Amino acid sequence: MAQTVHPALGTSRLQGGFTPQVTRYDLVITDTLVSYTGKLRKAYAVNGGIPMPTLTFTEGDTAMIVVRNGMAKEETSLHWHGLILPYHLDGVPYLTTAPIKPGETQVYKFPLVQSGTYWYHSHTNLQEQNGMHGAFIIHKRESPPMPEHVVILSEWTDMKPMEVHRRLHMANDWSAIKKHQVRPGSVQSYSDAIGQRALGVKLTNEWKRMNAMDVSDVYYDLLLANGRPVDEAPRLKAGDRVRVRLINGGASSYFWITFAGGKMTVVASDGMDVEPVEVDRFIMGVAETYDIIVTIPADSTAYELLATSEDRVRSTSVWLGSGIRQLAAPLQPLKYFEGMKMMNDMMRMNGDLDDMGMHMSLQQMDMNVVMYPEITGPKETSRTSEGDDRYNGNALSDIVTLNYAMLRSPTPTALPPGPVKELKFTLTGNMDRYLWAIDNKTVSETDRILIRKGENVRIILHNNSMMRHPMHLHGHFFRVVNGQGDHAPLKNVLDIMPMETDTIEFAATEEGDWFFHCHILYHMMSGMGRVFTNPPAEPNPVLPDARKAWRRFLREDKAWHFMAMSDFATNGIDGEAMLMSKRWALQTEWRLGYTEMHGQEVEAHFGRYFGKMQWWFPNIGIDWRTREGHTDSPEENMFQQRNTKNSRSVAHIGFQYTLPMLLVLDARIDTDGRLRAQLMRHDIPLTPRLRLDLMGNSDYEYMAGLRYVLDKTWAVRGHYDSDMGFGVGVAFTY
Ligand SMILES: [Cu+2]
């Protein structure tokens, strides 16, 4: 008997061609200025609005979307997220589709061979962050009418997305300080640790070279539902069963979803139906969609559907019904030090994560559970559980949290028969240098992965980084191998938590290039992804110069970032600047005294970061200094070599290495044969805003400084330097 293959998996049904029923939308993208918080900021609007309009279709129709770029200078693109379509319409600029230049119009026309909740967004630079996302809904042809409400969740930052991205690369925790203003404790400073009697935890954390626990990277000024701080669906009455189509259109935020009117029934994920499952809450990874059904309990009441960011700093609400507002319980602040304590157990000294034999997968063991007061109780009465259920939220509490093992497709999803190509990907990352990769290689450091029609591709993913990653595959659905056998659910985004191993598989039915990447926008832009290529019969009609397009596509993760810090103090000016890419860095430091006696010193070095954790930084450089009138300084350095502190002009070769306690060892030898070893650590968070800088070296030079952070640019600083003495002043950070 011939096995039936799920329509979203089988051979591409696009060949069936266009149906006569065409649903057409015209979209005009323009530059716009918006003010969500009182600050006027640049954003992108489509047909004048943010987010972009909800596009509604019926399965089996032909979609025709005419996109005009009405922006003055920027090129753009639109990707149809979760849609099965010919690859040259997929909308990844330079990979599959030509960018839409200013003034240009492109037409996207494809048959709709699926139904469900999807979305569309720009795939160009960071445009998605500032308004370029919208809902894409395909109704089933025959489905009984019921009330429904579409909600696309997103974030708003008053900072330019380019600036957000640059700051993520400079390991500056201004974002944590901003979060701390809303949710004290977010910085996880020494004072926070002492206040919570967790100094030992903090020290062990730093011994293992971990900075603060970062639940999410970016501080947002607002979270939005359908482009508004609060959204509503007032025309619902008691007893109504309403289908809420939720889309996480955020660039980097995961959302917890809870509801004031009782249980929620999850009926679809990423557009595909699942057997109904009742839950109290669920988390939505970036770019995931979930359809839920809720029942409105009573009239004259508006029930809150609450979406809270994973770091619990912000939330946004949708009010279902009208009348007196029934609130959902707000999510309590995370218990960060509990999380740090757990990380101390799981982090090996080499930076690898060790799940201690718990075989974590499919979100069933949520290691963050130790940080959730609603599961483990308030801090004082903390419930702890040992053994296998230590991180199993559903075993620890009465609250039912959705996980991937609970998703079951109502129809079989077995792959069509065919040879299996098995791939193993380890997700790797480094928070401080913001290098995100697969097997420590970024998109531009790898070739396309060849897949062929008729083949089934199985990917075993292991997350060896400290963050969760929502991995998205373009143009296909994959089965999440979750113990449901032939009824494994179909998805196009897989959230994978730290230490988890998950298996997904898909049929390589679609020709062309398909991007597989982390959907945290800033991780994708740092290179966390791969490209699958299923050789097409004909060359791509919209990118005639394939080689040139590929090179242009690879530019994405090759960006250089600039940062600088300088102190203007009573005893001189000292500072540093750095230009860095994902592997290379050019650093320069200066110390300019106002008098001959204080002297002047400038050095620069250029090097490459090595290793998964980027702890090694071999480099070459130059060092120039001059100083007069010092008779008191030692004649020799620690290596019994004559000191050249008063006049030096040399080149040097050496390395930096990050030691336990996040101390950086800098060792070098210069062209005069002199050795120098230096230990330093900057930005030790004594309190959320008070930072300590320390340095000492084998030339008997030392420095200690205290900095109080005023805002993202300015700090007041006092320091003592063995060459220049005591100084106070202001410090500027770019
Ligand atoms: Cu990621």
Side-chain angles (χ1 to χ4, degrees):
M1 197 180 80
Q3 197 186 3
T4 45
V5 174
H6 192 287
L9 281 175
T11 51
S12 175
R13 298 189 302 147
L14 298 165
Q15 278 74 13
F18 302 106
T19 47
Q21 180 58 46
V22 176
T23 305
R24 173 176 169 151
Y25 285 96
D26 288 84
L27 305 177
V28 181
I29 303 164
T30 49
D31 299 299
T32 189
L33 289 172
V34 292
S35 166
Y36 277 108
T37 63
K39 272 189 185 167
L40 212 54
R41 279 282 176 261
K42 180 186 152 57
Y44 308 93
V46 169
N47 301 352
I50 291 179
M52 306 198 283
T54 296
L55 311 183
T56 311
F57 304 88
T58 303
E59 183 176 12
D61 289 356
T62 292
M64 179 168 166
I65 307 157
V66 181
V67 186
R68 187 180 137 72
N69 180 357
M71 293 194 284
K73 290 194 203 102
E74 278 179 73
E75 60 181 53
T76 189
S77 61
L78 284 178
H79 162 59
W80 317 98
H81 183 111
L83 275 283
I84 298 170
L85 38 57
Y87 76 101
H88 63 269
L89 299 177
D90 191 45
V92 182
Y94 303 103
L95 177 65
T96 60
T97 314
I100 316 172
K101 304 269 188 201
E104 249 179 38
T105 299
Q106 283 186 4
V107 179
Y108 292 80
K109 193 174 176 187
F110 50 90
L112 296 164
V113 299
Q114 63 200 114
S115 65
T117 303
Y118 304 97
W119 61 301
Y120 63 110
H121 59 83
S122 167
H123 227 291
T124 298
N125 299 329
L126 302 165
Q127 289 172 352
E128 182 201 324
Q129 174 83 82
N130 272 7
M132 278 195 72
H133 46 262
F136 194 115
I137 308 298
I138 312 168
H139 287 112
K140 286 198 169 82
R141 195 151 276 285
E142 330 266 331
S143 64
M146 75 184 291
E148 68 170 50
H149 188 61
V150 177
V151 179
I152 183 161
L153 300 166
S154 63
E155 323 104 334
W156 179 258
T157 166
D158 274 341
M159 202 181 271
K160 290 188 192 113
M162 273 311 289
E163 184 68 5
V164 171
H165 194 215
R166 188 179 69 81
R167 282 176 175 272
L168 285 167
H169 285 267
M170 63 193 279
N172 165 301
D173 71 345
W174 175 245
S175 199
I177 296 176
K178 289 293 279 180
K179 288 181 189 182
H180 190 90
Q181 290 178 324
V182 186
R183 285 285 199 202
S186 300
V187 175
Q188 304 152 53
S189 65
Y190 274 84
S191 63
D192 294 331
I194 291 165
Q196 298 192 34
R197 298 182 194 184
L199 185 60
V201 172
K202 174 79 181 161
L203 289 170
T204 311
N205 228 249
E206 292 197 342
W207 179 254
K208 297 195 173 185
R209 290 174 269 207
M210 284 183 275
N211 271 310
M213 288 274 301
D214 234 325
V215 172
S216 61
D217 296 339
V218 183
Y219 166 80
Y220 290 104
D221 295 282
L222 276 179
L223 298 181
L224 305 171
N226 292 331
R228 305 192 281 176
V230 170
D231 181 49
E232 49 192 12
R235 274 190 292 273
L236 295 169
K237 37 185 208 312
D240 273 354
R241 293 178 76 239
V242 50
R243 183 184 194 106
V244 185
R245 297 175 179 268
L246 284 157
I247 300 156
N248 184 348
S252 75
S253 300
Y254 279 58
F255 290 92
W256 276 111
I257 307 296
T258 48
F259 180 52
K263 300 253 183 203
M264 300 173 283
T265 306
V266 174
V267 295
S269 178
D270 293 351
M272 287 289 140
D273 287 344
V274 294
E275 286 188 3
V277 52
E278 266 196 3
V279 298
D280 295 296
R281 63 174 194 172
F282 58 98
I283 196 165
M284 291 185 75
V286 175
E288 283 190 304
T289 78
Y290 278 98
D291 289 19
I292 58 170
I293 291 176
V294 294
T295 305
I296 304 301
D299 280 326
S300 310
T301 311
Y303 294 89
E304 186 178 33
L305 183 69
L306 179 66
T308 311
S309 57
E310 198 192 6
D311 60 19
R312 301 172 179 217
V313 169
R314 298 271 182 221
S315 64
T316 177
S317 310
V318 182
W319 296 96
L320 300 178
S322 60
I324 300 162
R325 290 190 158 183
Q326 174 75 52
L327 275 80
L331 270 60
Q332 295 304 303
L334 292 172
K335 301 189 286 182
Y336 280 108
F337 289 103
E338 294 291 323
M340 288 166 75
K341 197 156 100 193
M342 177 208 61
M343 285 313 294
N344 287 341
D345 294 340
M346 295 184 160
M347 174 68 81
R348 296 202 196 120
M349 274 320 284
N350 69 358
D352 279 342
L353 293 171
D354 177 2
D355 74 355
M356 306 192 300
M358 272 180 288
H359 307 294
M360 292 186 169
S361 69
L362 303 164
Q363 308 170 325
Q364 297 167 99
M365 294 277 189
D366 180 351
M367 48 153 227
N368 291 325
V369 97
V370 299
M371 295 161 59
Y372 299 151
E374 67 276 18
I375 303 284
T376 52
K379 194 156 57 64
E380 304 76 52
T381 62
S382 207
R383 266 193 264 181
T384 49
S385 175
E386 294 301 322
D388 286 355
D389 281 338
R390 242 173 110 182
Y391 304 110
N392 181 344
N394 286 344
L396 290 171
S397 79
D398 307 327
I399 300 169
V400 179
T401 306
L402 183 75
N403 62 52
Y404 284 160
M406 292 156 77
L407 298 178
R408 182 178 168 86
S409 169
T411 47
T413 61
L415 298 182
V420 176
K421 182 186 180 87
E422 190 170 287
L423 298 162
K424 286 196 168 115
F425 290 158
T426 298
L427 309 183
T428 51
N430 175 280
M431 184 65 75
D432 297 326
R433 295 212 58 255
Y434 217 71
L435 176 78
W436 298 101
I438 295 175
D439 299 323
N440 194 23
K441 291 228 162 42
T442 66
V443 173
S444 71
E445 293 169 334
T446 49
D447 285 332
R448 280 176 265 214
I449 297 171
L450 183 70
I451 58 176
R452 288 191 185 280
K453 275 191 188 166
E455 230 172 33
N456 290 327
V457 182
R458 179 180 300 142
I459 309 174
I460 302 167
L461 288 149
H462 175 66
N463 184 355
N464 192 28
S465 80
M466 283 174 62
M467 288 197 82
R468 48 206 303 171
H469 302 282
M471 302 302 296
H472 171 52
L473 176 63
H474 283 225
H476 303 73
F477 283 87
F478 50 72
R479 310 171 77 237
V480 180
V481 178
N482 70 341
Q484 301 281 4
D486 278 357
H487 290 256
L490 295 179
K491 283 177 65 62
N492 57 60
V493 177
L494 176 91
D495 162 47
I496 179 162
M497 302 185 74
M499 288 174 272
E500 284 194 340
T501 303
D502 288 340
T503 302
I504 58 175
E505 50 190 32
F506 66 95
T509 49
E510 312 301 313
E511 66 171 38
D513 284 347
W514 301 103
F515 204 0
F516 176 65
H517 63 89
C518 177
H519 218 290
I520 291 177
L521 185 57
Y522 304 98
H523 292 189
M524 180 186 83
M525 294 299 286
S526 303
M528 190 170 204
R530 288 292 183 272
V531 174
F532 289 109
T533 187
N534 196 335
E538 311 273 323
N540 187 336
V542 296
L543 290 173
D545 192 340
R547 281 233 208 124
K548 193 173 155 204
W550 176 247
R551 275 203 307 274
R552 181 65 178 74
F553 170 71
L554 295 184
R555 261 205 242 159
E556 199 155 85
D557 71 57
K558 289 179 171 175
W560 288 79
H561 300 273
F562 177 75
M563 60 211 66
M565 201 284 279
S566 194
D567 177 348
F568 303 90
T570 50
N571 61 343
I573 296 169
D574 72 272
E576 58 179 325
M578 181 147 60
L579 188 62
M580 65 177 204
S581 69
K582 58 184 184 279
R583 307 279 179 198
W584 299 91
L586 173 66
Q587 294 172 332
T588 155
E589 285 163 42
W590 57 87
R591 210 163 69 236
L592 310 171
Y594 301 132
T595 67
E596 285 292 288
M597 204 183 102
H598 283 158
Q600 259 117 43
E601 176 179 7
V602 180
E603 63 169 79
H605 44 263
F606 181 72
R608 188 187 195 276
Y609 288 93
F610 282 94
K612 175 173 69 77
M613 301 305 289
Q614 305 268 286
W615 286 333
W616 283 103
F617 179 65
N619 61 78
I620 51 168
I622 48 167
D623 183 355
W624 173 86
R625 65 162 69 191
T626 171
R627 196 170 73 140
E628 279 176 13
H630 275 261
T631 49
D632 55 330
S633 56
E635 305 264 299
E636 290 186 334
N637 66 18
M638 282 180 191
F639 304 106
Q640 274 93 50
Q641 293 171 310
R642 199 174 64 79
N643 213 321
T644 56
K645 288 171 58 127
N646 293 338
S647 170
R648 183 188 293 171
S649 183
V650 292
H652 60 252
I653 183 163
F655 67 86
Q656 290 182 0
Y657 181 71
T658 304
L659 292 164
M661 295 311 293
L662 301 162
L663 280 168
V664 176
L665 169 70
D666 180 307
R668 59 172 70 162
I669 182 163
D670 69 23
T671 39
D672 290 345
R674 252 165 226 92
L675 301 166
R676 195 195 77 177
Q678 176 167 292
L679 278 175
M680 57 199 164
R681 178 154 175 214
H682 292 306
D683 215 20
I684 304 169
L686 299 181
T687 77
R689 285 172 184 266
L690 186 65
R691 306 304 171 91
L692 174 66
D693 303 327
L694 293 172
M695 184 281 285
N697 68 26
S698 58
D699 290 345
Y700 300 101
E701 294 173 315
Y702 52 92
M703 186 280 295
L706 275 176
R707 201 155 44 87
Y708 187 83
V709 180
L710 298 174
D711 64 17
K712 67 181 200 294
T713 310
W714 295 101
V716 268
R717 181 163 185 255
H719 73 282
Y720 185 83
D721 181 298
S722 54
D723 285 339
M724 306 207 302
F726 184 73
V728 287
V730 292
F732 169 87
T733 304
Y734 171 74

